[in-house]
Amino acid sequence: ETGVTQTPRHLVMGMTNKKSLKCEQHLGHNAMYWYKQSAKKPLELMFVYSLEERVENNSVPSRFSPECPNSSHLFLHLHTLQPEDSALYLCASSQGGGDRSNEKLFFGSGTQLSVL
Amino acid sequence: GQNIDQPTEMTATEGAIVQINCTYQTSGFNGLFWYQQHAGEAPTFLSYNVLDGLEEKGRFSSFLSRSKGYSYLLLKELQMKDSASYLCAVVDSNYQLIWGAGTKLIIKP
């Protein structure tokens, strides 16, 4: 397998559930990202990890909890979500460590999350 | 505030040419990206511009004018498979990516 893989592709959960999204990259990259994509809105950066250290956390509610156990894996733990959290959650990776201006992102296909 | 503007939706005919515009107001500029995203799929990199001018890559070209805060993506010889959303993103002075909301391109036979 190559690229960035996300599981599950689809997730329906109630507001009291706890679930986790998983992302794995096979590109040897050093940086990994979580983005939220809502219909007709710009991508919202949630978290950035560089060399397994969280370097950005963009005022995301605490009901979203990221985990990066190694440079190839990234998780997003979800608990007590709200219906407005329904969206496509995209994971991405990039080379990291170099010229950040031209660093392109490699995205997974995302997890389509519905909160009931 | 920082802002990226792109048309929400465009329609074009198979075999034709379409130009998707992107205007930006950001705190500084360190480059501009275009990504393509088919429905239900991952966004994929199309182009990167940091200097003024036109960059051509097969049927796709991307243009940048830094003085005007303006870029466009030009798609030639449109094919049905070009139906997708096209995302514009600018790297600001803090190396943060500022994203537009995307342009949904519909190709008709």
Side-chain angles (χ1 to χ4, degrees):
Chain A
E1 244 188 271
T2 58
V4 181
T5 305
Q6 289 188 245
T7 54
R9 289 296 306 272
H10 302 274
L11 179 62
V12 179
M13 59 187 289
M15 290 190 283
T16 58
N17 291 158
K18 288 185 180 181
K19 296 286 184 183
S20 295
L21 309 185
K22 179 182 176 182
C23 176
E24 185 174 359
Q25 59 98 358
H26 307 271
L27 300 168
H29 287 166
N30 294 315
M32 296 187 78
Y33 309 75
W34 280 116
Y35 277 94
K36 177 182 179 181
Q37 187 175 36
S38 303
K40 300 185 180 180
K41 288 187 176 180
L43 286 176
E44 296 176 46
L45 179 63
M46 299 175 73
F47 302 104
V48 181
Y49 278 83
S50 178
L51 296 171
E52 301 152 46
E53 180 182 340
R54 191 190 309 181
V55 294
E56 283 188 49
N57 176 348
N58 284 354
S59 303
V60 178
S62 59
R63 56 186 184 268
F64 295 92
S65 175
E67 179 189 0
C68 187
N70 55 62
S71 59
S72 298
H73 293 85
L74 186 66
F75 295 89
L76 188 62
H77 303 300
L78 316 171
H79 64 97
T80 58
L81 293 191
Q82 304 298 310
E84 60 264 29
D85 296 323
S86 298
L88 181 68
Y89 288 84
L90 290 166
C91 174
S93 69
S94 67
Q95 190 69 42
D99 179 358
R100 294 176 60 188
S101 63
N102 66 353
E103 198 166 276
K104 61 185 180 184
L105 297 174
F106 293 78
F107 287 89
S109 296
T111 295
Q112 185 65 54
L113 174 67
S114 297
V115 181
L116 305 178
Chain B
Q2 309 205 86
N3 195 48
I4 309 283
D5 285 315
Q6 328 178 214
T8 303
E9 188 172 299
M10 299 181 70
T11 302
T13 304
E14 191 176 15
I17 299 173
V18 71
Q19 177 175 310
I20 302 174
N21 295 326
C22 171
T23 57
Y24 61 89
Q25 301 91 38
T26 56
S27 56
F29 178 85
N30 278 305
L32 184 145
F33 289 90
W34 284 97
Y35 284 81
Q36 179 191 59
Q37 184 179 23
H38 287 101
E41 297 185 16
T44 54
F45 169 82
L46 284 179
S47 67
Y48 171 76
N49 294 67
V50 68
L51 300 176
D52 290 351
L54 187 68
E55 299 251 355
E56 297 187 68
K57 198 184 291 186
R59 294 189 299 113
F60 291 13
S61 302
S62 56
F63 171 83
L64 175 67
S65 169
R66 289 172 296 172
S67 62
K68 294 182 179 177
Y70 168 69
S71 172
Y72 67 72
L73 184 68
L74 190 71
L75 290 72
K76 302 177 184 176
E77 301 168 17
L78 285 170
Q79 302 175 10
M80 298 302 293
K81 67 178 182 178
D82 298 328
S83 292
S85 290
Y86 292 85
L87 311 180
C88 174
V90 171
V91 185
D92 72 5
S93 56
N94 293 319
Y95 297 100
Q96 304 298 310
L97 261 181
I98 312 301
W99 293 86
T103 299
K104 183 178 181 180
L105 177 63
I106 300 168
I107 308 298
K108 295 187 174 179

